[in-house]
Amino acid sequence: MKFNECEQRFKAIFSLTSAATKIIDHNLTIIEVNDALVDLLGYEKSEICGTKIMEYACEEFKVEWKDLQEAMWVHGKPNFKLDVCLKKKDGALVWVHITTILFTESGTRYAYTVLDDFTYLKDFEESQKRLNMSLKYSNMAIWELDLDSDKIIHTGDFARILGCSEDSDGLQKSDLVNSFIEGDDQALVLLLDAINETRQLEFSGRVVSQGTDSKWVKLQAKLNVGPNQSRVLMGTAQDISKEKKADRYKDDFISIASHELKTPVTVLSGTLQLMGRMFPKEDTRLSKLIAQANQSMRKINDLIGALLNASKMAEGQLHLKVSTFNIAQAVEECCVNIDREGKHQLIVEGDKKLEIRADFERIQQVIVNFVNNAIKYAPNARDIRVRATDEGEKIRVAVIDSGPGIDPEKSEHLFDRYYRVDAEGSQYSGLGLGLYISSEIIKKHNGEIGVYSKLGEGSEFWFTIPK
């Protein structure tokens, strides 16, 4: 009676357990399986019973599995464990921990096997390997900063990239900040202090490794909610020294080339002006050619000016001449000759009496860049609006068009150096420096710059200047 009760309990447990389970006989034939094993392999119970488990094994595991089976059934090994890969009915692979135990019932030997699915863990390990490989070759590391405890969790290369040593207590927020040279460290502190408002961090600065020159490190992170509602900054750290060096070489070349071009271009420009005065205007064909040459010369001068400005800004040599002026008058003055073909109408909105304290020529340069971009990328939008508003502690200026808009993935890079938008496959002339220069000018004024754009609904380029 007790034996029957035990047998019934065993069958109930065998059937209902969530672990995939099977029983085989001495011929290694499966004689019983539970529902979990049916779900694991994707076959019907009737399809599995009567087969041999080795039929489902991937080829590379069969030899080891057969050796263990032989050790159990021939040499009396009471149990064994093995990790193997099985093929499901649909062809998918599943990784399992196999534990097999030998037992005897009514003089007959059987084996009881539990198959524990760890495919998710295997997938995670493979993903981790790929991630670590990617991080290694990109010279990048992942880090998390708990803003409540100041503790940092990170991948192995994080400390190496920052050039700091990690003690037994791990890295702290102070270690991160102190890794950067004087000046850059304070800039990072300001960004971290404002993280609750900005919700993200993007920072590039110089660190000094022991016995080596300084190198550039880029930090990118976003604010998330961690365990116990803690504030956690999660992101990446990357050594960008090679990129910075390449930019430096490019800037040096551009600066030298621009300066070398300036003299012959000035001579050529003077020659064209002299030709314009020497030849009679009645010669319409020659006058037209001279006008076209002068127009091309102005474009060359603008390009050289942009390159020289970009070089100055990259070297921190941008100097401001601050004065107080009427923003509406500045807009009308600098934009009067922008649209020479008359296809667009410039509308000045907002407070036309509003005054701003800034570098007059530099602010005009920003506005011209914004308006030129509106003309270039929204050629079918006739109205271009320039709006100046008083926002209390700052003045806001925006240039608004009703063009095709900008893809959000592209808009976040618009103020990067040499970045140019390729709208609907169209190629536009230019070096991609206008918005970068505008951004540097506004930053020098301690202001902010940005763009609001939605595909099909136009764009609004804006900047603010503190009063």
Side-chain angles (χ1 to χ4, degrees), residues 10 75 121 165 177 225 233 258 268 280 284 322 356 358 418 421 447:
F10 172 77
H75 303 293
L121 183 59
S165 59
V177 172
V225 178
L233 199 58
S258 300
L268 185 55
T284 56
V322 177
I356 186 173
Y418 305 118
V421 175

Side-chain angles (χ1 to χ4, degrees), residues 303-401:
L303 289 174
I304 293 173
L307 289 169
L308 290 173
N309 272 326
S311 296
K312 286 181 181 179
M313 291 170 186
E315 296 170 3
Q317 296 180 2
L318 175 65
H319 303 293
L320 302 179
K321 298 178 181 178
V322 177
S323 62
T324 302
F325 56 90
N326 181 279
I327 188 65
Q329 290 179 0
V331 170
E332 291 173 352
E333 179 183 318
C334 67
C335 296
V336 64
N337 291 319
I338 286 181
D339 183 22
R340 295 185 179 90
E341 296 181 5
K343 293 181 179 179
H344 298 82
Q345 180 180 2
L346 192 70
I347 303 171
V348 180
E349 300 178 342
D351 186 353
K352 294 186 179 181
K353 296 181 179 180
L354 197 59
E355 292 194 335
I356 186 173
R357 183 164 176 76
D359 186 313
F360 180 80
E361 292 184 0
R362 294 295 185 182
I363 293 301
Q364 283 192 326
Q365 187 177 354
V366 175
I367 295 169
V368 168
N369 277 327
F370 282 3
V371 174
N372 275 330
N373 271 279
I375 292 173
K376 183 186 296 184
Y377 296 111
N380 298 321
R382 177 168 175 75
D383 292 344
I384 297 173
R385 292 174 290 147
V386 183
R387 180 183 299 158
T389 53
D390 188 336
E391 295 192 345
E393 297 181 353
K394 56 191 177 183
I395 304 298
R396 187 178 191 275
V397 179
V399 175
I400 307 160
D401 67 65

Side-chain angles (χ1 to χ4, degrees), residues 92-121:
L93 301 180
V94 57
W95 286 87
V96 292
H97 296 296
I98 289 183
T99 302
T100 299
I101 303 171
L102 196 65
F103 72 96
T104 302
E105 183 179 318
S106 302
T108 304
R109 290 190 302 169
Y110 299 95
Y112 179 84
T113 303
V114 177
L115 299 89
D116 184 19
D117 183 2
F118 72 102
T119 305
Y120 71 95
L121 183 59

Side-chain angles (χ1 to χ4, degrees), residues 131-293:
L131 175 61
N132 289 337
M133 188 68 69
S134 299
L135 292 174
K136 179 181 178 181
Y137 285 106
S138 64
N139 212 2
M140 186 181 290
I142 296 174
W143 58 284
E144 295 182 15
L145 168 61
D146 188 319
L147 293 170
D148 296 323
S149 67
D150 284 351
K151 291 184 177 180
I152 295 176
I153 301 172
H154 58 91
T155 55
D157 285 343
F158 182 72
R160 179 186 60 79
I161 289 174
L162 289 177
C164 61
S165 59
E166 182 180 3
D167 57 28
S168 57
D169 295 329
L171 293 178
Q172 301 282 324
K173 176 182 174 182
S174 57
D175 297 310
L176 172 65
V177 172
N178 294 335
S179 298
F180 290 91
I181 67 172
E182 186 176 356
D184 288 356
D185 58 349
Q186 291 303 310
L188 178 57
V189 168
L190 292 175
L191 291 174
L192 291 173
D193 288 344
I195 202 68
N196 285 332
E197 289 75 34
T198 60
R199 311 295 298 179
Q200 61 183 14
L201 172 72
E202 185 155 347
F203 170 77
S204 295
R206 291 155 294 175
V207 302
V208 179
S209 299
Q210 189 174 2
T212 65
D213 295 331
S214 64
K215 60 181 179 181
W216 282 88
V217 173
K218 184 176 183 179
L219 301 177
Q220 290 179 300
K222 287 189 176 182
L223 188 62
N224 294 275
V225 178
N228 302 319
Q229 300 301 306
S230 59
R231 297 172 304 138
V232 178
L233 199 58
M234 303 173 63
T236 60
Q238 184 177 16
D239 184 344
I240 57 170
S241 300
K242 289 183 179 179
E243 291 83 350
K244 283 289 184 179
K245 187 177 289 186
D247 283 344
R248 179 66 184 179
Y249 289 153
K250 183 163 56 178
D251 289 339
D252 287 346
F253 169 77
I254 288 173
S255 179
I256 292 169
S258 300
H259 279 98
E260 291 298 319
L261 282 170
K262 210 170 180 184
T263 299
V265 165
T266 301
V267 173
L268 185 55
S269 181
T271 302
L272 286 172
Q273 291 178 15
L274 182 61
M275 288 176 63
R277 290 195 294 267
M278 288 176 60
F279 291 94
K281 292 184 179 180
E282 289 77 14
D283 190 339
T284 56
R285 184 171 178 273
L286 183 58
S287 295
K288 186 177 181 180
L289 288 173
I290 293 174
Q292 289 176 344

Side-chain angles (χ1 to χ4, degrees), residues 415-435:
F415 298 98
D416 295 347
R417 192 164 27 164
Y418 305 118
Y419 185 83
R420 293 166 63 245
V421 175
D422 177 13
E424 299 180 353
S426 300
Q427 295 294 330
Y428 297 106
S429 62
L431 297 171
L433 286 172
L435 292 178

